[in-house]
Amino acid sequence: MNVLLSWIREFVDVAEPAEEIGRRLSLRGLALEGLEAQGDDWLLDFDVTANRPDCMSVAGIAREIAVVFQRPFRAPHTRLAGAVRTHTAPSMTAPAVSIRIDAPDLCRRYVGAVADVRIGPSPQWMADRLTACGVRPISNVVDITNYVLLELGHPMHAFDHERLAGPAIVVRRAADQETLTTLDGKARTLRGDMLVIGDAARASAVAGVMGGAASEVHSGTTRIVLEAAWFKPQSVRATSKALGLRSEASMRFERGADLTAATVAMARAGELLEQTGAGRITAPFIDVYPEPYAPQPVHLAQPRIAGLLGMAVPEADVERILTALGFQATRSETGWRVIAPGWRVDQHRDVDLIEEIGRHFGFEHLPSTFPGVQQAPQPSDPRIARDQRARRIALARGFSEAISFAFIDARHASPFLAGAAPVALANPLSETFAVMRPSLLPGLLAAVSHNRRHGRRDVQLFEVGTRFSPSGESRALALAWTGLATPDHWSGQRRDVDLFDLKGVVEHLAEAFDAPLTFDLPAAHDLAADVLVPGRAATLHLAGTAVGVLGQATPAVCDGHDMPGTDATYVAELDLDALSRHSGALRMAQPLPRFPAAVRDVALLLDEHLSAAEVRGTILSEAPDTLVSVVEFDRYQGTGIPEGKVSLALRLTYQSRERTLTDAEVDTATDEVVGVLHISLGAVRR
Amino acid sequence: MRINPSIGPDRARAVFDEELQGITTDAALRDLRHRWLARSGSWVAGFMDLLAAAAPAEKKALGRGANELKRHVEQALGDREAALAATKRPEGAVDITLPGRQPSLGFRHPLSLIREQIGDIFSRLGYQVLEGGEIEDDYHNFEALNMPEEHPARDMQDTLYLATPVPPPAVPPPTRGRAPRTPQPLTLLRTHTSAMQIRQMERHDPPVRLVAIGPVYRRDNLDLTHTPMFHQVEGLVVGRGITLADLKGTLTSMATALFGEGQQVRFRPSFFPYTEPSAEVDIRCIRCQGAGCAMCKRTGWIEILGSGMVHPAVFEAVGYDPAEFTGFAFGMGIERVALLKWGVEDIRLFYENDLRFLEQFGR
């Protein structure tokens, strides 16, 4: 809200510089957003919060200044009370218009007055003030309605009397599909729930939003009907929104106008008409006001003030503040009985009053205290510690943390849907943010691509975040790795990352979550089959449920993110919710073994299509319980190995908790295992 | 110089010192030692010969001079030998100035660092830390927070809606309050984490002491200071006798923990539908310390959060008696804290995941 300091000074004697006024009001709830010199005057721009339509006016801001600086306020309601009385007194002059409210639920008051006018330009001082406040001067009559709106915050409208059929004013709901051309020249189609001001024949204004072109005041207008009314905020808001039409009037009505100010505004308009020589109100105000303002008194218990604020406010200050703001506060046994003025549409309860008292007494007087603890803290969301554990492992393995937008391009989401529908937004900001991510991988691949396009060949990133599907949310960890397997070093050989580098990290994670993951060939409908290179892809299972993927991202998926170059990018994604659902049993410590272990290395010649898992599985099922570990330590194909075969070397470790194992029994056990491997898998010991 | 003891021990000493000056290798040092100390043909041997032939009257002085020279030469050679040894690499030595082999270690995202720090601050103060769901129903995101349909305050947070609602999460129904007893389908992306607070209050009696942290969504276009997704932390304390002064103490302590000891904080009255009284909180500009700069628009203060005393209507919605309980609430953007703390000028950097940016904030 832009206000001129000279205009403010018509309501309150405040000699302080504009800057100090702004600074002090900022600490009392009206934040100064801008300050600009206008000749020898100042334009102050205040940020008025949505609950204070009364401060969308010069008088409203002046009232706040008067309270802050403790100066008398020249209230328009008081100053114009005499004029209102004169204009509403019974008179012999017949009003030249009839007014009827057909929708009293949406229009609680309508004040109309007929004035004879000579249309011309406004005096310079008025045009200057309007211009400074961002309103374009049009003609003396229209300018007066805008001047009153800015000064008192009460919107007004002027109709050309001659162009009102009847002449009559009918406040009614529009007919469905009724049309009206508004002042901005646009034809509007109305809905049945919209309020209009009509004449005897048709709609001539959208109530509280904008006037109609047909009844517009023009250069030849000689008689007008002035309107000062009260329209229901929700109705004006809905209409303005539906029509996509906002005006200075609608912004005030939708926040709530002062029901008691309609006649005051009309009296001020009459005064200005005469003062500027634009004309004269010729007949008494017609005030259709079926249910006058009757505010509910609010009881303000004195102890409640300190109880809510945590600071005591002296009684004298309570009364000073409330009275200066226009409240009527009368002492009661335990506090005050308070009646709010018509312009304070934000006042409903005692806490509203306490806010007024607190802010004008000054939040700077609040002490700093701490809430006492009455019980042990409730447990935090277990996902926080869990996610932190996942992060720690990823960081320790060299992955930096990414955070991506949860909405992505539908094109990027589609390969990751695995047959499900995307969770789309009804009103996305753009194509780029159209659907909620079904997986963290598209965002991570976009980040890898961004880094590669900015000169980084080696990229290791992870993200912990939420994924969305038509059945709801799930939290996942995703990893992406491309470029070198270990950082460049003067001593070493360079090697690019491969699948087993990333698989090792996933194995670490599985171990940390106590989750015995299996790495399986993807089935045809699996996500892994859609986005990973065949032969370098695994679906991760936990107790029979798919909980993630691991493998090399396909060139098609990478190209979708404009990934430069042809280097392989390995990715993995793990459902953390599924992982944490599984783990949980408290692990008991095991005593250290007291007897030595015996180790046997076995080299086998195998069919190259046989998986290590099958070999390991056979060994574990055939060997005695004393076999405590099987580790593949070498795999070789080439010179000396027949075509179609592979040499696989395994280290078998035996250990007993009861005794030292003899060489003979360990050898026998190993021979027996090799024998079974030969029979069932065709393995030959080398 | 030719070996010539006749110049006397004092001048010989100067000759030695000069010759020692140029010695940088073990071999040269060995030669020098031989030239000065060898049993025959050296400077010292020459002096011994001179001494043997000297007249009795000169013998005493010459003897002392020759001995002093010998001691000086031995001492200086020993020192130089030690100095040369110190510059030499021992057997099997490596060049310790070569860079170490660093195991790769990832960098934390700055937002993640702040998020954890705030969680820690409030855990220490006895708060439970919650995250909640990111898709919500209209009731928990708006209505229960004193923002019914058509409330102008809904414009303050432009909302992103789902094209098709998602079924509500399978959690036990609320035990109190006005919430629909059958869970509502989720229709929107939460505009604040307050929805989580409502869900918690609906299921628990006071006292309540929690912070809710996580991503929130608003229909804001990307620019230097706005992203359509950002992270928020909101606090809520409900009990008997909770006051605005308690809020001031708590937030001052948080600001100190985040921005450093002595960080000044001020409260400005403001408006939020779910608090009354409401206050915005400013910190002393961390760049200019209040002198006035571009960052604080020359006011010396920077707004960091919104807060206030929980509105009675919110208590009524969750079935708490506003006559018995009071509470405070606050909400702060994590990006905003990160922008201020590290002087980041473009909020979009937090979502580009450029390693050149991420690697600036520590592990």
Side-chain angles (χ1 to χ4, degrees), chain B residues 228-244:
Chain B
M229 169 176 131
F230 61 98
H231 293 76
Q232 206 183 33
V233 54
E234 290 191 311
L236 173 72
V237 172
V238 181
R240 288 190 181 81
I242 304 293
T243 68
L244 193 62

Side-chain angles (χ1 to χ4, degrees), chain A residues 69-301:
Chain A
F69 288 86
Q70 302 197 31
R71 310 274 158 77
F73 173 63
R74 289 183 282 277
H77 279 69
T78 317
R79 188 179 71 78
L80 293 162
V84 169
R85 259 194 311 279
T86 314
H87 280 291
T88 47
S91 149
M92 295 306 290
T93 329
V97 66
S98 74
I99 295 175
R100 195 175 81 225
I101 299 177
D102 284 353
D105 54 330
L106 302 185
C107 174
R108 284 184 58 190
R109 189 175 193 184
Y110 198 101
V111 178
V114 176
D116 288 339
V117 295
R118 286 172 305 280
I119 301 297
S122 292
Q124 198 58 45
W125 64 267
M126 182 178 280
D128 286 348
R129 279 192 170 176
L130 293 177
T131 307
C133 297
V135 176
R136 192 167 53 88
I138 295 167
S139 69
N140 50 6
V141 166
V142 176
D143 292 352
I144 283 170
T145 61
N146 286 330
Y147 190 90
V148 173
L149 172 138
L150 291 175
E151 184 176 88
L152 303 180
H154 201 96
M156 294 193 72
H157 185 63
F159 298 96
D160 186 327
H161 182 268
E162 234 174 63
R163 297 186 178 184
L164 282 180
I169 296 265
V170 183
V171 185
R172 59 170 172 85
R173 284 184 167 80
D176 238 334
Q177 302 298 310
E178 188 171 358
T179 56
L180 167 71
T181 301
T182 41
L183 282 174
D184 54 7
K186 292 202 177 111
R188 312 273 174 181
T189 306
L190 307 175
R191 279 191 329 226
D193 61 343
M194 294 175 175
L195 191 70
V196 295
I197 311 300
D199 58 17
R202 59 190 114 66
S204 39
V206 184
V209 181
M210 195 173 275
S215 56
E216 186 180 0
V217 171
H218 57 100
S219 55
T221 301
T222 54
R223 175 171 281 190
I224 59 170
V225 178
L226 280 168
E227 164 196 292
W230 187 97
F231 304 115
K232 190 176 174 178
Q234 291 85 338
S235 163
V236 173
R237 180 177 153 74
T239 302
S240 149
K241 223 176 162 181
L243 295 178
L245 184 58
R246 299 188 81 203
S247 62
E248 291 288 333
S250 74
M251 284 193 297
R252 286 168 176 78
F253 279 127
E254 71 176 35
R255 286 170 174 78
D258 177 1
L259 194 57
T260 66
T263 43
V264 179
M266 191 63 85
R268 179 63 175 140
E271 188 178 70
L272 286 166
L273 279 172
E274 293 190 26
Q275 217 177 78
T276 60
R280 198 171 63 83
I281 290 176
T282 52
F285 300 168
I286 307 165
D287 187 1
V288 186
Y289 193 13
E291 210 188 307
Y293 180 65
Q296 280 296 310
V298 172
H299 178 68
L300 175 61

Side-chain angles (χ1 to χ4, degrees), chain B residues 100-161:
Chain B
R101 193 177 289 118
Q102 296 182 357
S104 33
L105 185 58
F107 288 84
R108 291 288 298 274
H109 194 286
L111 297 178
S112 175
L113 286 170
I114 301 262
R115 183 173 163 167
E116 190 186 0
Q117 192 187 355
I118 292 172
D120 287 348
I121 291 170
F122 285 100
S123 294
R124 208 180 59 225
L125 292 174
Y127 289 59
Q128 65 178 144
V129 186
L130 300 177
E131 296 194 335
E134 294 168 37
I135 34 185
E136 260 303 342
D137 59 31
D138 188 271
Y139 177 83
H140 288 95
N141 194 73
F142 289 120
E143 226 177 293
L145 287 152
N146 201 25
M147 284 187 281
E149 197 72 46
E150 290 305 323
H151 192 286
R154 285 201 181 194
D155 286 352
M156 289 161 67
Q157 310 176 350
D158 220 346
T159 312
L160 286 159
Y161 291 92

Side-chain angles (χ1 to χ4, degrees), chain A residues 358-371:
Chain A
R359 76 184 172 94
H360 275 298
F361 187 66
F363 284 174
E364 65 273 20
H365 299 304
L366 284 170
S368 277
T369 56
F370 283 87

Side-chain angles (χ1 to χ4, degrees), chain A residues 23 26-31 33 49-51 234 237-238 241 246 254-255 304 306-311 346-347 349-356 359 363-375 377-381 383-384 387-388 391 394-407 423-429 433 436-437 443 447 450-451 454 456 458-463 465-466 468-473 475 481 485-487 489-492, chain B residues 95 98-109 111-113 115-116 123 125-135 150-156 159-167 186 189 200 204-207 209 217-222 227-229 231 237-250 252-253 266-271 275-279 309 311-313 316 322-323 325-326 328 350-356 358-359 363:
Chain A
R23 194 181 53 77
S26 292
L27 293 176
R28 297 291 180 260
L30 274 174
E33 293 280 285
T49 52
N51 60 328
Q234 291 85 338
R237 180 177 153 74
K241 223 176 162 181
R246 299 188 81 203
E254 71 176 35
R255 286 170 174 78
R304 179 94 161 131
L308 200 66
L309 297 178
M311 66 173 173
D346 59 323
Q347 295 296 315
R349 307 177 182 242
D350 61 351
V351 291
D352 300 320
L353 295 169
I354 295 170
E355 172 169 74
E356 296 305 295
R359 76 184 172 94
F363 284 174
E364 65 273 20
H365 299 304
L366 284 170
S368 277
T369 56
F370 283 87
V373 179
Q374 284 118 23
Q375 64 176 30
Q378 297 290 303
S380 290
D381 190 329
R383 292 182 299 179
I384 296 171
D387 293 354
Q388 199 61 4
R391 267 190 202 103
L395 289 162
R397 301 306 307 165
F399 293 83
S400 288
E401 186 175 18
I403 295 182
S404 316
F405 288 129
F407 16 59
V423 176
L425 292 176
N427 58 339
L429 273 164
F433 299 142
M436 302 309 289
R437 57 185 175 191
H450 170 92
N451 279 289
H454 289 82
R456 213 33 113 95
D458 312 320
V459 183
Q460 258 184 291
L461 286 170
F462 81 97
E463 179 164 5
T466 303
F468 301 82
S469 82
S471 58
E473 303 176 21
R475 193 73 68 81
W481 193 347
T486 52
H489 192 252
W490 51 266
S491 67
Chain B
D95 178 359
L98 280 168
R101 193 177 289 118
Q102 296 182 357
S104 33
L105 185 58
F107 288 84
R108 291 288 298 274
H109 194 286
L111 297 178
S112 175
L113 286 170
R115 183 173 163 167
E116 190 186 0
S123 294
L125 292 174
Y127 289 59
Q128 65 178 144
V129 186
L130 300 177
E131 296 194 335
E134 294 168 37
I135 34 185
E150 290 305 323
H151 192 286
R154 285 201 181 194
D155 286 352
M156 289 161 67
T159 312
L160 286 159
Y161 291 92
L162 300 184
T164 314
V166 163
L186 310 178
L189 298 181
Q200 186 71 8
H204 295 91
D205 291 334
R209 206 178 172 96
Y217 303 87
R218 291 184 195 173
R219 207 168 177 284
D220 286 331
N221 278 306
L222 277 175
T227 47
M229 169 176 131
H231 293 76
V237 172
V238 181
R240 288 190 181 81
I242 304 293
T243 68
L244 193 62
D246 291 336
L247 174 66
K248 189 174 186 176
T250 302
T252 304
S253 144
R266 76 171 184 186
F267 274 50
R268 266 184 307 107
S270 187
F271 166 71
T275 49
E276 189 80 31
S278 303
M309 299 303 291
H311 199 288
E316 283 159 9
F325 298 105
T326 54
F328 67 66
F350 292 123
Y351 291 93
E352 260 174 14
N353 298 313
D354 191 315
L355 286 163
R356 293 167 301 177
L358 297 179
E359 288 170 1
R363 319 230 186 207

